[in-house]
Structure formats: C-alpha cells, structure tokens
Amino acid sequence: MPAQLRPTGIPASGVSDDRNVAGDAVALTVFSTVRRWGLLELPLFFLVLRKAPRSLTTLRRLSFIQSARWSLLREIPYNGPPQPRVTLRHPHLYFESNFNGGWEEYIDAFSFLLTTGMFGFWGSSYGFPWALPSAPFKAYIREHAYTASHYYSAYPEATATIVQQALELEPKVRALCDQAPDLSPAEFAVAWRRTLNEVQQCL
C-alpha cells in the first residue's frame, strides 16, 4: 500500500527505501497514468494472459520474483464513510511486486526477457520509454515508484523457489518420519536413501 501520493524516487544506486525491504524481500509499487486507449488495450491484454497462461512461462521462470500484479484503476478504492468516493481523472496502471535480489537486476530481467510484454503492460502509459534500452526504463520506474506504508514478508530470507521446494519436501519428510518407528535400522537406511533420491531437486 503506498504511503503517500507522490513518488518517493528510488535512488540512482537502485537501492530501495528501507520501508520497501524485509530481509532479502523487496517491495516495488508503481503508479502510471494511462492514455484513454489503455482502457481498451489493457483489459484485452489481461484477458489474453488469462486465456493463454503459457505466455507467462518466462515470467514464472524468474524465481527471484515472489509475486507481480498489474491492475487498471479508475477510482480510489472505497472503504466506506467518511471517505468520499473518488473517480480518477485519468485511469492509472497499478503495479506491485515482491522480489529477492537487486532492484537493477529485477528491472533488467523485465527489459531483456519480457520486452514485448512490458509494452503490453506499460505501452499505454504516458511517458513509457520502451523496455529497451533498460536505463530509460529504470528511470521511468524510479520516477513512478512509491514507498509502501506497510510491508510484511512471512519468509523474508527465502526466494519463491525455496518456498516451493520446501512445500514439495515437507510431505515426503513427514511420510518418512511416520514410517521410521516401524522400520529396522536396515529398512530405515533404505527408506532414507530412497527419500534422498526423490527430493534431490529440493535440497
């Protein structure tokens, strides 16, 4: 959730504000103003992505990305009285992401691996400089980035890959523990080696 209604500006060093950091996890929030044709282009682009999930394969392979979400906003979310309803004069693209590692490398991955996709998301935004070369794109993201007012990560030291491997590993270790009391030492040794072979990719 953005803390304030003005860009905080990510320093030229690429190091994010401390409030955007939890362990090795980093939050990135970007608002950009969308041209009117984006009201047609973005919903169609989102629909294509939902209907063709394979188009997101490259993005999903970037294991340092914990999550990434783009939303098209036409009004400020309403939380009830006394907050007034506010319709934005121009639609805005809201991008929020959590990732591990350096900010520079994160934007470089978007620029070089998802070049066309970046146009799909930000092409209708005012001032979008294209994803390549990456330096103007980084400057664009810095200019439109906001600091999170609250940021929490349940596993701040873990990448998405580590969490996925732990989820896959846990039931297999649990099954071995359940069997252990009924196994002789020799049988346990066999079961232990079999389990290790099965979970090598998780270790």
Side-chain angles (χ1 to χ4, degrees), residues 6-10 30-31 127 138-146:
R6 65 177 178 80
T8 58
I10 297 172
V30 178
F31 275 101
K138 290 175 184 173
Y140 179 80
I141 295 298
R142 285 191 189 98
E143 182 181 352
H144 294 82
Y146 289 76

Side-chain angles (χ1 to χ4, degrees), residues 191-203:
W192 171 255
R193 285 193 292 271
R194 182 174 60 245
T195 301
L196 281 181
N197 287 331
E198 291 176 353
V199 301
Q200 278 299 304
Q201 74 280 3
C202 301
L203 301 177

Side-chain angles (χ1 to χ4, degrees), residues 108-175:
D108 278 342
F110 273 179
S111 295
F112 290 100
L113 300 178
L114 304 166
T115 309
T116 304
M118 292 303 96
F119 179 80
F121 287 118
W122 274 293
S124 60
S125 290
Y126 285 99
F128 175 65
W130 192 254
L132 288 174
S134 62
F137 184 48
K138 290 175 184 173
Y140 179 80
I141 295 298
R142 285 191 189 98
E143 182 181 352
H144 294 82
Y146 289 76
T147 298
S149 58
H150 176 74
Y151 180 44
Y152 169 78
S153 175
Y155 306 100
E157 313 299 335
T159 65
T161 299
I162 292 174
V163 172
Q164 290 173 347
Q165 290 172 336
L167 291 172
E168 184 178 348
L169 178 63
E170 192 273 340
K172 295 176 179 177
V173 173
R174 183 189 298 274

